[in-house]
Amino acid sequence: MSDKFAFEVVCEDATCSARIGKLRTARAELETPVFMPVGTQASVKTQAPSDVAATGSRLILANTYHLMLRPGAELVHELGGVQRFMAWPHALLTDSGGYQVFSLAKLRKLDDDGVTFRSHIDGSRHALSPERSMQVQALLGSDIAMVLDECPPGDAERADVQRALERTTRWAERCLACEAAADQARFGIVQGGSFLDLRVAHLETIASMPFEGLALGGFSVGEAMSVTYELLGELGPRMPRDRPRYLMGVGKPIDLLRAIAAGIDMFDCVLPTRNARNAQALTWNGRVNLKQARHRQDQAPLDARCDCPVCATYTRAYLRHLFAAGEMLGPRLLTQHNLHFYQSLTRAAREAIRERRYASFARDAEAQMFELDEVNTGR
Amino acid sequence: MSDKFAFEVVCEDATCSARIGKLRTARAELETPVFMPVGTQASVKTQAPSDVAATGSRLILANTYHLMLRPGAELVHELGGVQRFMAWPHALLTDSGGYQVFSLAKLRKLDDDGVTFRSHIDGSRHALSPERSMQVQALLGSDIAMVLDECPPGDAERADVQRALERTTRWAERCLACEAAADQARFGIVQGGSFLDLRVAHLETIASMPFEGLALGGFSVGEAMSVTYELLGELGPRMPRDRPRYLMGVGKPIDLLRAIAAGIDMFDCVLPTRNARNAQALTWNGRVNLKQARHRQDQAPLDARCDCPVCATYTRAYLRHLFAAGEMLGPRLLTQHNLHFYQSLTRAAREAIRERRYASFARDAEAQMFELDEVNTGR
């Protein structure tokens, strides 16, 4: 165990593969399963860092692609790194930048060396190689850096997935060949699309490298969630027991419930923050859309079971009014609630694992969420 | 002194007409001079009520026009009034709705009975009479209601100003003829444009009526601020000593400094909240525009003299980044700072009055603000 990173499994459920881990980075100590709120541009949208910390969160994610373009990695470094820049005193994970290059940038050119692209902001030309990604993440100063990988679309052919996977392996080796930044752990990424044999083989390859943690990339990119759940059931238990397992970019509450059962430890997703800005609250009883007229006179809180400041203070009628009137306070309050809900969900999951009743907890939680929300099944 | 409202002058400066008052409404007790943040649609834009209260503010303003259209005065009443609706446990002043009818509504028709108009939101037809304004404000449940007045434009002819003023007098009488709502005080409004003799005569008329407070309306509607200052110097000292004096819709920090010297007790203005959303901070050293590139690497706080949480936590470089990146946290943090600044400004003014040195305090504060900000002189 180094000073900058440690992980140990402290509890395993008997009813499934769920587990509780203790994760320590340079700046935080926390328990897994953990959900990481997304602070894309060094801000968890609408929230002050103290709001995020008040939900219990101690580890957030920031996007390398966005920060390298604006305000620039070198400037962030001069200003003391992302954490000091945004006044977030806890832990931070940065992605490699690759995913956003593929989804946002223009005129990209991808080869073995890396990817060149034009900024979606001002059209300026940039390059991202495995080495530059590690350098940028070192400048950003995150606790956990991700390797650059190639993530093919969800409907990619087997041969394309295979090629992307092989490139991802070569890039992982090049990332590891870079000198590790002080206080920064590095996680490898497993690709392989929806092909179980490719996934298993790539997992073995990446697991054989000295990464502090392992991530599953290339999920939640358009494939059916039933496929994801099935693959997770196979892959989760095969991932190294002594290192954290991170499922990138996932997901809905039910996705977390399912993935935790498969032994996944870490999650990130824009869903709780993005959906909040579209007037959608996530609750123990499913989704609540505050644009609906039925909330107009509703003096109930968003979620009677929730102990967040928003549910303690405001009625649905007022929250609906804020969205109807276009008030920024609406997105802010709903984001606060949704982040609180995700922390409550993972906290309740840990509690259930500790008491060796995770499978029944997840079944009950899912059933309750379905009752009011058939869209949210992902099946 | 009734249970619902009381005012007494507790201290008068020797160097000018500035004074400290103690104002008590049904829901708050506070000292004047006081600045009221504007919560147009039952939300001080971007701020939670606890943020506003944390600046020291105990009295805010909400707009009758907006709330009668959306969500509707009757609904707000059902939901417990504006304060309970928005979870603001302190005092609230509502305007009459008239000012926004003139500035926002469409197809309005004004006569002695009142004004009919179409909503700027959905085109629906509404009417506002002195009686309906008082009824709506009673439904909204504010601590202080304003009479319906007619506010002519800043460049109006004397004859038009005279006519508007006479109508305002008739409407004031009709407002007073309505039964006062429980826990609600009523303020009269003095009009008269930039004509001192009309202003003085109207002041005498309105002051002769049993209003709990007197307001000066029709300032900050396009006239030169030098004219306003001159008129205030004449009118302020002529206003009844034993009732609060409220200058509506004003203003910039320098306007407050000048008006306080003339004996004004109460202010409201969208400037600190609106300008914040446009990246403009108000500080003891004048305005700071965070869109300017010179703040890009600036690790200083917005205002080294400010003790607000924003100045204690964030650098100008980060705040600038938030605006450059279009993050909602930018407007939110700048609003918090600006509201804090306005409360600090009025607090410092009261301190100076208490020590009978207001004139020199105001001169020094103005000089300091001018140094960096020549636009802000209003001269």
Side-chain angles (χ1 to χ4, degrees):
Chain A
M1 299 274 171
S2 75
D3 277 354
K4 65 187 179 187
F5 193 85
F7 179 78
E8 62 174 316
V9 175
V10 294
C11 176
E12 287 172 301
D13 195 282
T15 60
C16 61
S17 298
R19 61 203 209 144
I20 296 175
K22 191 184 283 181
L23 177 68
R24 184 170 52 71
T25 75
R27 292 178 193 80
E29 191 169 307
L30 52 94
E31 278 193 336
T32 61
V34 63
F35 176 81
M36 301 180 279
V38 178
T40 307
Q41 306 184 103
S43 166
V44 177
K45 287 188 193 305
T46 75
Q47 301 293 289
S50 54
D51 299 329
V52 179
T55 68
S57 185
R58 292 295 178 269
L59 172 58
I60 65 173
L61 179 147
N63 289 124
T64 291
Y65 169 82
H66 287 281
L67 293 172
M68 70 183 280
L69 297 184
R70 187 171 56 195
E74 280 73 13
L75 179 57
V76 171
H77 179 66
E78 274 173 49
L79 296 170
V82 173
Q83 282 104 318
R84 188 160 156 210
F85 182 52
M86 69 179 286
W88 169 253
H90 308 295
L92 177 76
L93 179 147
T94 43
D95 61 9
S96 69
Y99 188 82
Q100 258 96 22
V101 168
F102 293 110
S103 57
L104 293 176
K106 295 168 191 164
L107 295 172
R108 53 181 188 272
K109 193 179 131 294
L110 175 69
D111 59 27
D112 241 16
D113 191 44
V115 56
T116 55
F117 61 95
R118 285 189 183 277
S119 159
H120 73 291
I121 301 166
D122 61 7
S124 57
R125 191 185 295 273
H126 300 265
L128 199 63
S129 62
E131 292 78 13
R132 176 63 182 157
S133 175
M134 296 316 283
Q135 184 191 27
V136 168
Q137 293 182 76
L139 289 166
L140 296 177
S142 52
D143 298 60
I144 302 172
M146 302 302 299
V147 297
L148 187 68
D149 63 334
E150 186 186 343
C151 175
D155 59 355
E157 301 280 322
R158 182 181 174 95
D160 293 330
V161 171
Q162 172 96 41
R163 264 191 299 273
L165 172 163
E166 284 162 7
R167 180 175 279 158
T168 294
T169 301
R170 290 192 297 276
W171 285 2
E173 285 161 354
R174 283 165 58 186
C175 286
L176 277 176
C178 301
E179 198 183 345
D183 294 341
Q184 195 174 56
R186 295 176 296 195
F187 279 24
I189 301 179
V190 177
Q191 290 288 352
S194 300
F195 304 96
L196 179 60
D197 60 328
L198 294 185
R199 285 275 180 188
V200 170
H202 199 229
L203 170 56
E204 277 174 21
T205 305
I206 298 295
S208 72
M209 300 179 184
F211 289 113
E212 277 94 348
L214 279 292
L216 300 177
F219 284 107
S220 208
V221 292
E223 81 286 1
M225 284 313 291
S226 57
V227 174
T228 303
Y229 296 155
E230 202 172 316
L231 280 166
L232 287 177
E234 297 288 339
L235 289 171
R238 284 184 167 93
M239 295 178 83
R241 182 181 174 280
D242 62 344
R243 285 185 277 179
R245 304 158 171 175
Y246 167 26
L247 178 58
M248 301 181 78
V250 174
K252 300 190 298 295
I254 184 179
D255 302 336
L256 267 64
L257 288 169
R258 296 290 180 98
I260 288 170
I264 300 298
D265 305 307
M266 300 170 66
F267 302 90
D268 82 277
C269 190
V270 296
L271 190 134
T273 41
R274 177 176 292 165
N275 288 26
R277 299 198 299 284
N278 293 320
Q280 188 179 83
L282 301 153
T283 79
W284 287 102
N285 291 315
R287 303 184 186 191
V288 175
N289 184 344
L290 285 167
K291 289 187 177 160
Q292 291 173 352
R294 65 188 173 100
H295 303 300
R296 194 164 173 274
Q297 299 178 251
D298 193 343
Q299 305 214 39
L302 272 178
D303 188 347
R305 193 171 151 182
C306 178
D307 59 354
C308 87
V310 178
C311 289
T313 309
Y314 307 96
T315 61
R316 290 184 178 204
Y318 182 62
L319 295 169
R320 173 179 152 73
H321 166 70
L322 292 176
F323 279 95
E327 288 286 349
M328 282 194 206
L329 186 59
R332 170 181 162 181
L333 294 180
L334 238 57
T335 302
Q336 191 178 0
H337 165 83
N338 281 355
L339 290 180
H340 198 279
F341 172 70
Y342 268 65
Q343 296 301 320
S344 297
L345 185 70
T346 48
R347 198 180 311 115
R350 293 194 300 268
E351 197 64 22
I353 298 168
R354 217 181 305 277
E355 296 169 4
R356 311 298 202 270
R357 55 176 178 80
Y358 181 79
S360 69
F361 158 80
R363 197 171 48 238
D364 293 349
E366 248 185 63
Q368 206 175 346
M369 290 178 198
F370 287 171
E371 248 174 5
L372 292 177
D373 174 22
E374 301 195 335
V375 181
N376 194 24
T377 64
R379 290 189 290 212
Chain B
M1 298 272 170
S2 72
D3 276 354
K4 64 188 181 187
F5 193 83
F7 179 78
E8 63 174 317
V9 174
V10 295
C11 176
E12 285 172 302
D13 195 283
T15 61
C16 60
S17 299
R19 61 204 208 141
I20 296 175
K22 191 184 282 182
L23 177 68
R24 184 170 53 74
T25 75
R27 293 179 193 78
E29 192 170 306
L30 52 94
E31 278 194 335
T32 61
V34 62
F35 176 81
M36 299 180 279
V38 178
T40 306
Q41 307 184 102
S43 165
V44 177
K45 288 190 191 302
T46 75
Q47 301 293 288
S50 54
D51 299 330
V52 178
T55 68
S57 184
R58 293 293 177 270
L59 172 58
I60 65 172
L61 180 147
N63 290 124
T64 290
Y65 170 82
H66 286 282
L67 292 173
M68 71 184 278
L69 296 184
R70 187 173 55 195
E74 279 72 13
L75 178 58
V76 171
H77 179 67
E78 273 174 49
L79 297 170
V82 174
Q83 283 105 316
R84 185 158 160 213
F85 183 52
M86 71 181 285
W88 169 253
H90 308 296
L92 177 77
L93 180 148
T94 42
D95 61 7
S96 69
Y99 188 83
Q100 258 97 21
V101 168
F102 293 111
S103 57
L104 293 176
K106 294 170 191 161
L107 295 172
R108 51 180 190 273
K109 192 179 130 296
L110 175 69
D111 59 27
D112 240 16
D113 191 47
V115 57
T116 54
F117 60 94
R118 286 190 183 275
S119 159
H120 73 290
I121 301 166
D122 60 7
S124 57
R125 190 186 295 274
H126 299 265
L128 200 63
S129 62
E131 292 77 12
R132 176 63 181 158
S133 175
M134 297 316 283
Q135 184 189 26
V136 168
Q137 293 182 75
L139 289 167
L140 297 177
S142 53
D143 297 60
I144 302 172
M146 302 301 300
V147 297
L148 187 68
D149 63 333
E150 186 186 343
C151 174
D155 58 356
E157 300 282 323
R158 183 181 173 95
D160 293 331
V161 171
Q162 173 95 45
R163 263 192 298 275
L165 172 163
E166 285 163 7
R167 179 174 279 159
T168 294
T169 301
R170 290 192 297 276
W171 285 2
E173 285 161 354
R174 283 167 58 185
C175 285
L176 277 177
C178 301
E179 196 183 346
D183 293 344
Q184 194 174 58
R186 294 176 297 193
F187 279 22
I189 302 179
V190 177
Q191 289 289 351
S194 301
F195 304 96
L196 179 59
D197 59 330
L198 295 185
R199 283 275 181 190
V200 170
H202 199 228
L203 171 56
E204 277 173 24
T205 306
I206 299 295
S208 71
M209 300 179 183
F211 288 114
E212 277 95 347
L214 279 293
L216 300 176
F219 284 107
S220 208
V221 292
E223 81 287 2
M225 282 314 290
S226 57
V227 174
T228 303
Y229 296 155
E230 204 172 315
L231 280 167
L232 287 178
E234 297 287 342
L235 289 172
R238 283 185 167 92
M239 295 179 82
R241 183 183 173 279
D242 61 345
R243 285 184 277 180
R245 304 158 172 175
Y246 167 26
L247 178 58
M248 301 181 78
V250 175
K252 299 190 298 298
I254 184 177
D255 301 335
L256 268 65
L257 289 169
R258 295 291 181 97
I260 289 170
I264 301 296
D265 305 307
M266 300 170 66
F267 303 89
D268 82 278
C269 191
V270 296
L271 191 134
T273 40
R274 178 175 292 166
N275 288 26
R277 299 197 300 282
N278 294 320
Q280 189 180 83
L282 300 153
T283 79
W284 287 101
N285 291 313
R287 302 184 186 191
V288 176
N289 183 342
L290 285 167
K291 289 189 178 159
Q292 289 173 353
R294 65 188 172 100
H295 303 300
R296 193 164 174 275
Q297 299 178 251
D298 193 342
Q299 306 214 36
L302 271 179
D303 188 346
R305 195 173 149 182
C306 179
D307 59 354
C308 85
V310 177
C311 289
T313 310
Y314 305 96
T315 62
R316 290 183 177 204
Y318 182 62
L319 295 170
R320 174 181 151 72
H321 165 69
L322 292 177
F323 279 96
E327 288 286 349
M328 283 193 205
L329 186 59
R332 169 181 164 182
L333 294 179
L334 238 57
T335 301
Q336 190 178 2
H337 165 83
N338 282 355
L339 289 179
H340 199 279
F341 173 70
Y342 268 65
Q343 296 301 319
S344 299
L345 186 69
T346 47
R347 199 181 309 119
R350 294 193 300 267
E351 197 65 21
I353 298 168
R354 216 181 306 278
E355 297 170 4
R356 312 294 204 272
R357 54 173 180 80
Y358 182 78
S360 70
F361 159 79
R363 198 171 48 239
D364 293 351
E366 249 186 60
Q368 206 174 348
M369 290 178 197
F370 288 170
E371 250 176 1
L372 291 178
D373 175 23
E374 302 196 333
V375 181
N376 195 23
T377 63
R379 291 188 292 212

